[in-house]
Amino acid sequence: MINGTTTNGVSVGGVYPMRVAARLTGLTADTIRVWERRYQAVKPERTLGNKRRYSDAQVRRLVLLRRATELGHSIGQVARLDDAELKQIIGETDLDASNQASLYEALVDDYLEAVLAYDVQEAESILNRTAAVIAPTQLTFDVILPLMRRIGELWSRKELRVAHEHIVSGQLRSLLGTLMRHVEPRPGAPRVIVATPPKHLHEFGAIIGAFIAASRGLEPIYLGTNLPLEEIDDAATQSRAQLVLMSIARDCDPEEREVLLAGFRELSKRHEVWLGVPEVHALSEEEGPMRLLHRYEDLDQALAAHEAPAVAAHA
């Protein structure tokens, strides 16, 4: 039981067990216990079986404390501070935008360094720790999108291998799943089917679209890549999704383009379809019932403005 609901009448308001809190914060379980017992750094809830459960706010606080101690402050000194004071001493103030931006750039650098070295555990740890302490919208636009742009640059310079791309996409899928488990859709929010059409295997655009939808309070249903349009149609119908997101990255020859357009037109008879494609893509020149978006920023603005938001993304 999580998020303030009850089990047998007993409130269990935490979210994360100790092992997950340790993974998200980069601290050992022993360190967390000592900080809790000796310095009252956090006070987790307890299950009926007396197991600790840490809330999102407590995980964020533990990360702030870890960063403060890494800068040389003693835990005895900083454990008494509130979160705003902790952010000040580690340089994370809302007023210091340049410092915040440099922090995110450093996180992206550290993550890419770990990926390029095939240090998968360290890379995943960096992503998870970051997601634990910043809001979903910040995570998407200040960390993940800059990360995608850096990956594109490395790919164009032939400094990134297919294996590296697979590591990143796998970890982003996992992170998206975590985000969707712990970020509640807003009341009455539409469900959104997210996928790429047949023979399109590049999923970064679809994943980012799903992140943006989740951060806006929608309920994305991520189906992955290379999905037949009939399956997308059926999933949207069965789930009662109001919207369909599809992402296309690579170009299409004329024959494939006509097949896809026919399929999109058929799908649009039953569902609202938004398609994310690069601005230079041949499909960008086509007129049809689906809405085309070329930038993630356009998607976010559309979600904010649309009464029944739909989503799309491009790689």
Side-chain angles (χ1 to χ4, degrees):
M1 215 312 321
I2 62 174
N3 288 337
T5 52
T6 60
T7 299
N8 295 335
V10 178
S11 174
V12 188
V15 175
Y16 306 106
M18 173 63 84
R19 60 181 176 78
V20 177
R23 179 167 59 85
L24 291 174
T25 60
L27 297 166
T28 66
D30 286 341
T31 296
I32 294 174
R33 292 189 188 97
V34 169
W35 286 7
E36 173 192 332
R37 182 176 63 252
R38 189 174 301 172
Y39 303 104
Q40 293 76 52
V42 293
K43 187 178 180 181
E45 298 287 343
R46 297 276 183 159
T47 68
L48 292 175
N50 205 33
K51 300 292 186 181
R52 291 173 172 85
R53 290 293 182 267
Y54 296 86
S55 68
D56 287 328
Q58 290 168 339
V59 167
R60 287 193 292 270
R61 177 170 175 78
L62 286 169
V63 172
L64 293 174
L65 290 169
R66 177 181 60 79
R67 289 178 177 170
T69 58
E70 289 172 348
L71 290 173
H73 301 281
S74 73
I75 184 60
Q77 293 173 325
V78 297
R80 298 190 298 268
L81 303 179
D82 62 27
D83 290 359
E85 292 170 324
L86 286 171
K87 288 180 179 180
Q88 286 184 337
I89 68 171
I90 66 175
E92 283 192 37
T93 64
D94 294 336
L95 299 177
D96 192 354
S98 61
N99 189 289
Q100 193 82 334
S102 64
L103 170 66
Y104 296 145
E105 290 172 6
L107 287 168
V108 170
D109 288 340
D110 290 346
Y111 177 77
L112 285 172
E113 182 179 346
V115 169
L116 291 172
Y118 294 98
D119 191 346
V120 178
Q121 289 187 340
E122 175 62 16
E124 185 173 26
S125 177
I126 291 169
L127 276 184
N128 287 334
R129 291 178 199 172
T130 304
V133 296
I134 64 176
T137 301
Q138 277 185 297
L139 176 68
T140 301
F141 284 94
D142 294 334
V143 178
I144 294 177
L145 288 187
L147 171 61
M148 294 299 97
R149 294 186 180 106
R150 290 284 302 281
I151 286 174
E153 293 168 3
L154 291 171
W155 186 265
S156 66
R157 298 200 301 263
K158 303 186 186 307
E159 297 177 20
L160 195 75
R161 303 180 68 87
V162 174
H164 296 132
E165 184 177 354
H166 286 184
I167 290 171
V168 175
S169 62
Q171 292 187 346
L172 287 180
R173 283 196 304 273
S174 176
L175 184 62
L176 176 62
T178 300
L179 177 69
M180 290 191 297
R181 283 193 297 274
H182 297 294
V183 176
E184 295 262 341
R186 66 173 185 265
R191 289 179 171 177
V192 182
I193 296 295
V194 185
T196 71
K199 301 180 182 179
H200 287 264
L201 304 176
H202 194 75
E203 67 178 326
F204 282 149
I207 291 175
I208 300 306
F211 265 107
I212 295 174
S215 69
R216 279 288 178 184
L218 282 73
E219 184 179 351
I221 301 173
Y222 184 72
L223 302 181
T225 63
N226 189 28
L227 207 65
L229 294 182
E230 295 83 0
E231 293 290 332
I232 295 175
D233 189 357
D234 184 66
T237 300
Q238 295 297 323
S239 66
R240 297 183 180 179
Q242 296 181 22
L243 314 157
V244 172
L245 168 154
M246 282 184 290
S247 170
I248 288 182
R250 68 166 176 81
D251 209 349
C252 309
D253 60 39
E255 181 179 357
E256 182 187 13
R257 187 166 65 249
E258 289 305 314
V259 170
L260 285 174
L261 282 171
F264 295 156
R265 292 189 183 103
E266 184 65 27
L267 186 62
S268 296
K269 293 178 182 178
R270 290 171 293 281
H271 312 286
E272 184 172 1
V273 177
W274 285 22
L275 179 66
V277 294
E279 198 164 6
V280 297
H281 198 282
L283 282 170
S284 295
E285 303 173 2
E286 301 290 342
E287 293 185 2
M290 64 280 186
R291 179 172 180 176
L292 299 179
L293 295 176
H294 304 302
R295 302 185 313 141
Y296 298 113
E297 291 79 7
D298 296 337
L299 165 61
D300 189 55
Q301 291 174 11
L303 287 171
H306 205 266
E307 290 183 2
V311 296
H314 66 77

